[in-house]
Amino acid sequence: MIKNMICLAGRSLAERIVSILMTCVVTILAFYLFDEAWTDYRVQMKTVTQNADAMGEDPYRVLQVRGTTSDMMEFDMYKTIDQWMEELREEGRVKTAGAYFSYNYEFKELKNIPGLKEELDQFWLENYGYDPAEMNTGEDGWFAGLVIEDGFQDLVNLRLSESLDRMEEREDLYPIYFGSAWKAYVDLGQILTSDQFYHDRNVQFQVAGFLQEGIYAADPNSSINSEPFRMDYRVVGLIPEGSETMNEGLNNYIVLWDKEDSQEITDWVRGKMRETGILGSVENWGEQRENMRNQDGDYFKTRFQFAVFAVSIAFIFASVVFVSNLFSRKREIGVFYACGFGERAVFGMVLTEHVITVLGAFVMAYGIRVIQIRMRFNEMMSYVFIERRQVTEAVHMEVLPGMLLLALLFLVLASLIPYGLLRRMDPVTLLEEGTR
């Protein structure tokens, strides 16, 4: 029975190929636009503020301080801002304040280790597009990483898979944590020399632990909507509060005990900027995140409205076509009744046509979106785009059940009018009035 209905539905569709194709095209476009709007919105909500989301601290308790000036030397500006951070560390409402910045480490002990150069070359090429032959990154032993002052461990969300029980107690020896990808090349407790870390003296680091695989840290050089750093191929150096590495003042952060104190501390820093003539910004990352999400929400709300409009137009178009096809087949349907087919069987045949049209359009629209997502990131090598593609593909799979429900709802509603008309049709009248 089902086989016969499918065969009859297929023959009917073939005879009405033009109207069916037009219905498919309109429906495919509508489903595509809805799929795109929904998927992109969910991806955007997951990624637009992920630089703040990667923090271990509550972003509403984190202030980012950036300065710039044309009236004083850059070094003097950094020194001035560093003094503000020192004052804030004495403030009871401040958990910690100081420097958090990116830094590329050079370790003498890790030069020319077999396999390490290739790993480093690949990292620099994929993440920054540097030509390893020109940069000599692997040969020189440069590791991309972060520097944090003591007290910022929660800000960076420093989660370890292994750690050293006890470090050597030396004033010029600081702990450093390597990403999981470097376990094969460094040993826990190993001491490494970095000549260029301080401007006035050498310093050594001791490998104090390895980071958990797949963790992220906020990019201190960027804004709320930037990509965070995946830490598998990076390192984190921990230095004492108030260390003068010539990077203080470049990217400073203030972590508060209570987010209610955010505005008062912000006003204090801005007042200092006005007094010294330093331009810049003091931003609460939690408020920035909220504003960014609201802005994107407004943008995607407009896209959703357009997608809903497109689906509505497609629904009306499909309903008109389905009704038109039903009226053009009056005699054929009358013959089916005369041959002993019941109302359920006849409507099952009509519904099969609708299922083939609507669900076929849904499958086509979803398939086009899969291809479009893959092609969008196909030529981009950076891990940032690779991960964005993975997130997009994962989210696209998440919206599949919802899109399928939309297609089923579309199918049911578009078939209601034909079903109501079919129930009112009299077999004798159908044979007399039908044109076929």
Side-chain angles (χ1 to χ4, degrees):
M1 185 69 174
I2 295 176
K3 183 179 179 181
N4 290 335
M5 283 194 299
I6 295 175
C7 290
L8 290 170
R11 190 188 71 180
S12 177
L13 289 173
E15 292 174 352
R16 296 164 181 80
I17 189 66
V18 175
S19 63
I20 293 302
L21 281 178
M22 290 177 63
T23 305
C24 281
V25 169
V26 173
T27 308
I28 287 170
L29 179 61
F31 285 156
Y32 175 90
L33 291 173
F34 198 94
D35 184 319
E36 184 181 46
W38 194 4
T39 301
D40 287 355
Y41 170 75
R42 288 174 59 85
V43 170
Q44 194 74 352
M45 289 299 101
K46 283 190 174 185
T47 60
V48 70
T49 60
Q50 60 184 327
N51 206 28
D53 297 336
M55 288 182 173
E57 295 280 6
D58 176 4
Y60 284 96
R61 296 193 292 113
V62 178
L63 304 178
Q64 182 186 42
V65 180
R66 286 180 170 180
T68 180
T69 180
S70 58
D71 297 331
M72 67 172 66
M73 297 293 291
E74 193 175 69
F75 176 78
D76 292 334
M77 182 190 72
Y78 289 168
K79 191 82 172 176
T80 300
I81 297 178
D82 187 39
Q83 290 172 355
W84 301 346
M85 297 300 110
E86 188 173 348
E87 289 183 49
L88 285 169
R89 283 195 291 270
E90 303 300 321
E91 165 67 59
R93 293 170 296 179
V94 175
K95 180 179 179 181
T96 189
Y100 169 37
F101 54 91
S102 299
Y103 184 81
N104 297 333
Y105 296 83
E106 181 186 22
F107 301 118
K108 290 182 177 180
E109 295 81 1
L110 299 182
K111 288 185 177 181
N112 303 318
I113 295 179
L116 180 57
K117 172 176 167 44
E118 290 73 21
E119 291 269 12
L120 286 167
D121 285 350
Q122 189 68 20
F123 169 82
W124 288 105
L125 180 61
E126 289 187 357
N127 290 271
Y128 298 99
Y130 294 163
D131 184 347
E134 294 179 4
M135 300 303 296
N136 292 321
T137 51
E139 183 180 343
D140 290 343
W142 287 99
F143 288 78
L146 299 170
V147 177
I148 58 172
E149 292 190 0
D150 196 16
F152 278 129
Q153 290 91 328
D154 289 337
L155 182 69
V156 180
N157 204 10
L158 204 63
R159 301 197 305 272
L160 305 177
S161 60
E162 297 179 44
S163 61
L164 194 64
D165 291 334
R166 185 174 180 178
M167 282 190 58
E168 293 187 24
E169 295 183 3
R170 279 172 33 195
E171 186 176 340
D172 63 341
L173 184 66
Y174 302 149
I176 194 165
Y177 304 93
F178 276 73
S180 59
W182 304 126
K183 283 186 178 182
Y185 304 105
V186 294
D187 299 318
L188 202 61
Q190 185 177 357
I191 295 178
L192 305 172
T193 306
S194 180
D195 292 342
Q196 300 179 2
F197 189 77
Y198 286 107
H199 66 284
D200 58 351
R201 66 188 187 278
N202 294 338
V203 68
Q204 288 186 313
F205 290 90
Q206 186 168 22
V207 182
F210 294 102
L211 304 175
Q212 289 182 11
E213 184 177 355
I215 69 169
Y216 290 80
D219 179 355
N221 306 320
S222 300
S223 59
I224 197 79
N225 60 342
S226 301
E227 300 279 352
F229 289 143
R230 182 168 179 171
M231 299 304 296
D232 291 351
Y233 286 86
R234 298 178 188 265
V235 296
V236 181
L238 181 63
I239 62 176
E241 287 183 347
S243 299
E244 296 182 5
T245 67
M246 294 198 61
N247 286 282
E248 277 65 36
L250 177 61
N251 285 290
N252 282 271
Y253 288 81
I254 304 167
V255 182
L256 307 172
W257 288 110
D258 190 335
K259 65 182 180 181
E260 300 301 325
D261 297 320
S262 172
Q263 190 59 53
E264 193 168 342
I265 299 299
T266 297
D267 291 341
W268 184 88
V269 177
R270 287 174 178 167
K272 290 288 188 180
M273 287 181 170
R274 286 192 295 270
E275 290 175 12
T276 56
I278 293 176
L279 305 175
S281 63
V282 186
E283 302 290 348
N284 181 294
W285 271 45
E287 294 174 1
Q288 277 188 294
R289 180 175 67 174
E290 184 178 348
N291 292 337
M292 188 68 67
R293 285 177 172 172
N294 289 338
Q295 290 173 12
D296 278 16
D298 292 340
Y299 167 70
F300 280 99
K301 180 180 179 181
T302 302
R303 288 186 59 183
F304 264 122
Q305 289 173 342
F306 182 75
V308 170
F309 173 75
V311 171
S312 301
I313 293 298
F315 163 71
I316 294 171
F317 188 89
S319 298
V320 170
V321 170
F322 291 162
V323 171
S324 176
N325 286 345
L326 184 66
F327 278 114
S328 70
R329 301 172 61 193
K330 282 185 177 182
R331 184 173 178 81
E332 180 183 342
I333 293 172
V335 171
F336 285 138
Y337 280 134
C339 292
F341 284 83
E343 183 181 282
R344 286 187 179 182
V346 173
F347 181 69
M349 180 193 67
V350 174
L351 183 62
T352 302
E353 297 176 17
H354 298 175
V355 168
I356 294 172
T357 303
V358 175
L359 295 189
F362 162 74
V363 171
M364 287 288 292
Y366 195 84
I368 291 171
R369 277 288 291 149
V370 169
I371 295 171
Q372 187 252 341
I373 290 170
R374 291 180 179 177
M375 290 181 64
R376 184 194 302 177
F377 302 102
N378 194 41
E379 301 300 325
M380 301 176 182
M381 296 181 62
S382 169
Y383 90 93
V384 169
F385 293 105
I386 292 173
E387 294 201 354
R388 178 61 71 91
R389 171 180 164 175
Q390 292 173 345
V391 170
T392 304
E393 289 178 338
V395 169
H396 193 228
M397 283 298 297
E398 290 174 8
V399 305
L400 176 58
M403 287 299 301
L404 183 56
L405 285 175
L406 174 66
L408 293 174
L409 179 63
F410 186 103
L411 172 65
V412 170
L413 293 177
S415 300
L416 281 178
I417 297 177
Y419 175 69
L421 292 173
L422 192 62
R423 291 200 65 182
R424 295 186 179 189
M425 289 180 176
D426 178 67
V428 176
T429 306
L430 288 172
L431 288 170
E432 294 175 350
E433 295 180 357
T435 58
R436 299 183 55 198

